[in-house]
Amino acid sequence: MSGNEWETDDYDDNHGFVYEYGASVVELLDPQPGERILDLGCGTGHLTKEIAARGADVLGIDASAEMIETASEEHSDLDFRQADARTVEPDGEFDAVFSNAALHWIPEADHDAVLAMVEEALAPEGRFVAELGGTGNIQQIATTTIDELAQRGYDATQPWYFPSIGEYTPRIEEYGMEVSRAILFDRPTELDDGARGLENWLGMFGDSIFEGVPEHDQRAVIEAVEDRLKDDLFDAETSTWTADYRRLRFVAERSDGL
Ligand code: BEZ
């Protein structure tokens, strides 16, 4: 997965919108009492907890040891495991696989491994319900940051995978699932912490873009990005940054025998 070092306190305190918005993906999942559910990329476990609160038996996995440590401390009654979605071997069958805001961290070429794992994990008629950044997600933030880095001689590339419906749903269907719903939508997302919102966001999520860039150049890039984006993404009256999120959300079911 694209490397990011996770400060889990900062993640929970200042980026709570990640799981707050994810609550509606849990609604779409509609977990039922007694169902066995795999939460892929569970982070600090807030949505794992919501799924468990519906009476489901849920396993949260995340590639980040820091995330799993925090999730296990905060929700000690739940089951979490550090595991990479590309290589984990699912133990037994799951009624559903769920994922919120995690799949875009996995490089495009590795999604076949993930989808093969989901197919293997799902019971017959099991469902895969997920949301990730979709095509055009955080386009202004990412392209402006990469451009400012390039102007200073750094060769940064976009580390995330933000597919379109037309690109991703056939990939899912190659792995024994039928996509019954898919939607791509703009979801402008207000960032926490007022005028520092964009800087914090880049600090939390931009590790791989800024890898190898000295602190003073990072500072200069962030200031330049803020300057270029403030007309579009900053509301001076409320002192709020809004990130240009776009989401791809889908529901697919195992389609054996179709
Ligand atoms: C997202 O949830 O869309 C996202 C979060 C961090 C980095 C890139 C995208």
Side-chain angles (χ1 to χ4, degrees):
M1 256 186 241
S2 303
N4 208 77
E5 284 183 20
W6 295 104
E7 296 286 340
T8 57
D9 288 345
D10 184 19
Y11 180 81
D12 276 351
D13 293 347
N14 290 319
H15 304 87
F17 59 82
V18 176
Y19 53 82
E20 285 155 12
Y21 276 109
S24 60
V25 193
V26 174
E27 291 306 319
L28 191 62
L29 172 70
D30 192 20
Q32 298 297 311
E35 280 191 324
R36 191 155 185 254
I37 294 178
L38 178 63
D39 180 1
L40 274 192
C42 63
T44 52
H46 289 269
L47 297 178
T48 324
K49 180 178 151 210
E50 287 201 22
I51 294 168
R54 309 288 187 94
D57 171 16
V58 57
L59 168 65
I61 66 167
D62 202 289
S64 155
E66 295 88 351
M67 287 292 192
I68 289 298
E69 193 182 331
T70 301
S72 304
E73 279 167 16
E74 289 185 5
H75 316 287
S76 55
D77 51 330
L78 302 183
D79 193 8
F80 294 102
R81 223 166 287 167
Q82 186 194 357
D84 187 317
R86 296 167 294 191
T87 52
V88 65
E89 299 202 354
D91 60 344
E93 287 187 332
F94 291 84
D95 299 295
V97 175
F98 169 85
S99 184
N100 177 60
L103 291 170
H104 49 245
W105 290 98
I106 299 173
E108 176 174 355
D110 293 347
H111 278 253
D112 291 294
V114 175
L115 292 168
M117 185 282 288
V118 172
E119 179 185 19
E120 192 188 331
L122 285 178
E125 298 178 30
R127 60 203 189 280
F128 182 26
V129 178
E131 182 175 297
L132 66 156
T135 184
N137 191 43
I138 56 154
Q139 187 143 315
Q140 291 193 75
I141 296 176
T143 54
T144 309
T145 306
I146 288 167
D147 183 56
E148 286 297 331
L149 283 164
Q151 287 185 33
R152 289 164 179 79
Y154 299 104
D155 183 20
T157 50
Q158 143 106 13
W160 308 287
Y161 175 46
F162 300 136
S164 66
I165 292 179
E167 183 181 346
Y168 205 62
T169 57
R171 292 190 76 169
I172 300 170
E173 295 197 335
E174 274 176 38
Y175 289 91
M177 291 173 267
E178 183 180 47
V179 178
S180 56
R181 265 181 277 180
I183 179 170
L184 176 71
F185 58 100
D186 289 331
R187 199 201 65 201
T189 298
E190 288 189 1
L191 303 180
D192 290 339
D193 209 14
R196 299 196 54 200
L198 184 57
E199 173 191 347
N200 286 351
W201 190 95
L202 286 165
M204 169 59 60
F205 298 118
D207 284 358
S208 45
I209 291 189
F210 286 114
E211 203 175 334
V213 179
E215 189 65 35
H216 65 275
D217 273 350
Q218 290 192 25
R219 198 53 268 134
V221 166
I222 290 169
E223 279 171 17
V225 171
E226 287 175 335
D227 203 44
R228 279 173 62 179
L229 294 184
K230 65 179 185 308
D231 287 349
D232 283 350
L233 301 183
F234 186 65
D235 181 341
E237 265 177 38
T238 60
S239 196
T240 306
W241 284 97
T242 298
D244 49 340
Y245 275 43
R246 298 188 93 203
R247 313 317 278 171
L248 171 58
R249 188 180 274 196
F250 61 82
V251 178
E253 290 87 18
R254 270 279 298 263
S255 59
D256 308 43
L258 279 184

